[in-house]
Amino acid sequence: MGRYQVILAYDGTLFQGFQVQGKQARTVQGVVESSLRQIGWQGRSLLAAGRTDTGVHATGQVIAFDLEWAHSLDALLRAINANLPPDVAAQEVRPAPADFHPRFYAVSRRYRYHILHRALRAPLQERYAWRLWPALDLGDLQRAASLLHGRHDFAAFGSPPQPGGNTYRTIQQVAWNQEDDSLTCDVQADAFLYHMVRRMVFIQVAVAQGRLEPAEIAQSLQFPAQAAVDRLPGLAPACGLVLVDVAYLPDLSSPRIAWE
Amino acid sequence: MGRYQVILAYDGTLFQGFQVQGKQARTVQGVVESSLRQIGWQGRSLLAAGRTDTGVHATGQVIAFDLEWAHSLDALLRAINANLPPDVAAQEVRPAPADFHPRFYAVSRRYRYHILHRALRAPLQERYAWRLWPALDLGDLQRAASLLHGRHDFAAFGSPPQPGGNTYRTIQQVAWNQEDDSLTCDVQADAFLYHMVRRMVFIQVAVAQGRLEPAEIAQSLQFPAQAAVDRLPGLAPACGLVLVDVAYLPDLSSPRIAWE
């Protein structure tokens, strides 16, 4: 019996999120666990780096599980994929230490958010983007982004895994880039609160649209209990968000970060 | 009553092609005609530049119809889109001459085919691409493409709209481009036979894979009745194909091309 780390890609459109929620809902975890059972997995629940929301996509979600496997890693990769539907695919398999946990051992996560500047519906692009018009100014977004950098109390931007948990997070990167009518926001942090990336994108967009002042972002990080950004509730749509990467120490050992 | 030209974009994945085929099938023409009936259209059948196959996409399909419309063109665009499902959208509306026909008045058509070089399934990219591995050589594809340029009898590459119809077509461009793991083939011609673009892509790919000789393309254009390429039947998958553009004279008048 060994523990394996698997990198997963999925199109979140037809899933009710990552996490199993009961028999009815089609979830990424549910279809992956079914696929693993086909190859002899007898665990109760796989481990995952993050629970993406309904409609959120991934190219670099990380899961782990224990399995008796006598063949090669490549054969394991093929066996997992043979039992998965077209909208989920394992991208990589590697052996992991017996205590490896994809969430607690992660040192950082990276998400990418896609915005499309188009006045009219664009059926071939909207599956994976938030369509907005009129176009936002890249400089406005970049100025809003600079306020989010660093270690802050992000309680106004999302909720912790457990009620009352630590809401401090360290944002290592918030980078907006534009190519023609397509905008991307790359966000990297040690970890994220629930809904935090979509809330961050929503608020930066609101600033670029003139609906919030940049100062209200700064105020909300300083005084999350009376956050100015609360006057504009909302999240950027899930379809624009992709979990791109979860980083670990090279040997997948524990980074010894203290978790709430 | 006036005639209008409308540019349509659609994601072909959930359509059984463009053309109405009976009550059961969900077709692009069917949903667009329903949308037009909501705004008072009483025609029997709209006119279209091309009948894309099941699963083929478009960003520049062109249709035309006669309508009594008292408001602005912009209001017409919005009214059409208000009644269309998310996977179809009108992109542009303009008034057209009373005899305008999007198929017979077209002077050229352009398609783009997408190939993805990836060993493993890529759920976020495969909706709109043919995934192939190992990677093809761009030079091999470009050499195969050069053989298809110009005016030829393409009977070995597709079938004419009417049995026994003219199978000569003029290929104005076959351009392969690569960016990272993504390949595109842009094909422009005065007109295409049924299945011609997908067959052309399939055959160029077969040459790059060493399954056909370049000389067999040349032979098949010269002697379509005993075409060497017939030994390898098949089409590139529909999901990789997009009808990008249909070109007309600036005033949408008849180009006076003789049609079979």
Side-chain angles (χ1 to χ4, degrees):
Chain A
M1 185 78 84
R3 182 156 292 194
Y4 293 93
Q5 183 214 45
V6 172
I7 296 177
L8 275 189
Y10 47 86
D11 177 329
T13 313
L14 302 180
F15 288 104
Q16 293 182 257
F18 184 86
Q19 193 179 17
V20 165
Q21 308 163 30
K23 295 280 175 217
Q24 277 6 275
R26 182 176 188 260
T27 65
V28 179
Q29 184 183 352
V31 306
V32 174
E33 289 180 348
S34 300
S35 149
L36 292 175
R37 279 190 202 100
Q38 307 274 319
I39 56 167
W41 177 69
Q42 297 181 337
R44 218 176 55 83
S45 178
L46 58 77
L47 307 172
R51 298 172 194 163
T52 53
D53 291 335
T54 296
V56 172
H57 316 290
T59 55
Q61 170 72 284
V62 176
I63 60 167
F65 50 84
D66 296 321
L67 184 72
E68 196 75 59
W69 186 257
H71 316 287
S72 71
L73 287 175
D74 203 54
L76 177 53
L77 180 62
R78 275 182 281 117
I80 295 169
N81 279 333
N83 295 302
L84 285 173
D87 48 357
V88 197
Q91 302 293 298
E92 210 182 302
V93 178
R94 57 186 285 206
D99 59 354
F100 173 72
H101 191 298
R103 179 164 156 233
F104 298 118
Y105 283 32
V107 295
S108 69
R109 284 97 168 144
R110 197 149 46 86
Y111 283 88
R112 173 168 281 189
Y113 198 91
H114 293 264
I115 288 176
L116 179 68
H117 282 157
R118 283 286 302 274
L120 294 166
R121 283 195 291 116
L124 289 175
Q125 295 167 281
E126 290 186 36
R127 190 176 177 94
Y128 307 119
W130 183 14
R131 184 171 60 79
L132 283 175
W133 191 257
L136 309 171
D137 179 74
L138 185 62
D140 288 344
L141 291 166
Q142 287 169 335
R143 275 184 292 280
S146 67
L147 300 169
L148 294 163
H149 271 113
R151 186 155 185 85
H152 303 286
D153 183 348
F154 282 96
F157 291 78
S159 32
Q162 285 96 24
N166 182 354
T167 49
Y168 275 80
R169 295 292 185 273
T170 303
I171 300 284
Q172 296 148 353
Q173 185 194 40
V174 192
W176 286 93
N177 288 291
Q178 182 161 14
E179 206 183 305
D180 303 324
D181 56 4
S182 157
L183 267 181
T184 55
C185 182
D186 289 299
V187 190
Q188 185 176 306
D190 54 351
F192 290 93
L193 302 169
Y194 284 150
H195 286 164
M196 182 169 155
V197 184
R198 290 166 62 195
R199 182 73 177 141
M200 283 172 61
V201 169
F202 180 87
I203 285 171
Q204 293 173 87
V205 166
V207 167
Q209 290 171 331
R211 300 160 67 209
L212 277 177
E213 293 300 318
E216 293 180 284
I217 293 182
Q219 183 276 346
S220 302
L221 293 171
Q222 229 179 332
F223 307 106
Q226 301 90 36
V229 297
D230 287 355
R231 70 181 178 85
L232 213 64
L235 298 176
C239 65
L241 187 60
V242 184
L243 170 54
V244 170
D245 188 49
V246 185
Y248 299 91
L249 296 181
D251 60 356
L252 300 184
S253 66
S254 170
R256 302 182 197 286
I257 293 175
W259 284 91
E260 70 274 24
Chain B
M1 185 78 87
R3 182 156 293 193
Y4 293 92
Q5 182 214 45
V6 172
I7 297 178
L8 275 190
Y10 47 86
D11 177 330
T13 313
L14 302 181
F15 288 104
Q16 293 183 258
F18 184 87
Q19 193 179 18
V20 166
Q21 309 165 30
K23 295 279 174 217
Q24 277 5 276
R26 181 177 190 260
T27 65
V28 179
Q29 184 182 351
V31 305
V32 174
E33 289 179 348
S34 301
S35 150
L36 293 175
R37 279 189 203 100
Q38 307 274 320
I39 56 168
W41 177 70
Q42 297 181 337
R44 216 175 57 82
S45 178
L46 59 77
L47 307 172
R51 299 171 193 163
T52 52
D53 291 335
T54 296
V56 172
H57 317 290
T59 55
Q61 170 74 283
V62 176
I63 61 167
F65 49 83
D66 296 321
L67 184 72
E68 196 75 58
W69 186 256
H71 316 286
S72 71
L73 288 174
D74 203 54
L76 178 53
L77 180 62
R78 276 181 281 117
I80 295 169
N81 279 333
N83 294 302
L84 285 173
D87 50 355
V88 197
Q91 302 292 299
E92 210 182 300
V93 178
R94 58 186 283 205
D99 59 354
F100 173 72
H101 191 299
R103 179 164 156 233
F104 298 119
Y105 282 31
V107 295
S108 69
R109 283 97 169 146
R110 198 150 46 87
Y111 283 88
R112 173 168 281 190
Y113 197 90
H114 292 264
I115 287 175
L116 178 67
H117 283 157
R118 282 286 302 274
L120 293 166
R121 283 195 291 115
L124 289 176
Q125 296 167 282
E126 289 187 34
R127 191 177 177 93
Y128 306 118
W130 183 13
R131 184 171 60 80
L132 284 174
W133 191 257
L136 309 171
D137 179 73
L138 185 63
D140 288 345
L141 292 166
Q142 287 169 334
R143 275 185 292 280
S146 69
L147 300 168
L148 294 163
H149 271 113
R151 186 155 186 85
H152 303 286
D153 183 348
F154 282 95
F157 291 78
S159 33
Q162 285 97 23
N166 183 353
T167 49
Y168 275 81
R169 294 293 185 272
T170 302
I171 300 284
Q172 296 148 353
Q173 185 195 40
V174 192
W176 286 92
N177 288 291
Q178 182 161 14
E179 206 183 306
D180 303 325
D181 56 4
S182 157
L183 267 180
T184 55
C185 182
D186 289 299
V187 190
Q188 184 176 307
D190 54 350
F192 291 93
L193 303 169
Y194 285 150
H195 285 165
M196 183 169 155
V197 185
R198 291 167 62 193
R199 182 73 176 140
M200 283 172 63
V201 169
F202 180 87
I203 284 171
Q204 293 173 87
V205 166
V207 167
Q209 290 171 331
R211 300 160 68 209
L212 276 176
E213 292 300 318
E216 294 179 285
I217 294 182
Q219 183 275 347
S220 302
L221 293 171
Q222 227 179 333
F223 307 107
Q226 301 90 36
V229 298
D230 287 355
R231 71 180 177 85
L232 213 63
L235 298 176
C239 65
L241 187 60
V242 184
L243 171 54
V244 170
D245 188 50
V246 185
Y248 299 91
L249 296 181
D251 61 355
L252 298 183
S253 67
S254 170
R256 302 182 196 287
I257 292 174
W259 283 91
E260 69 273 23

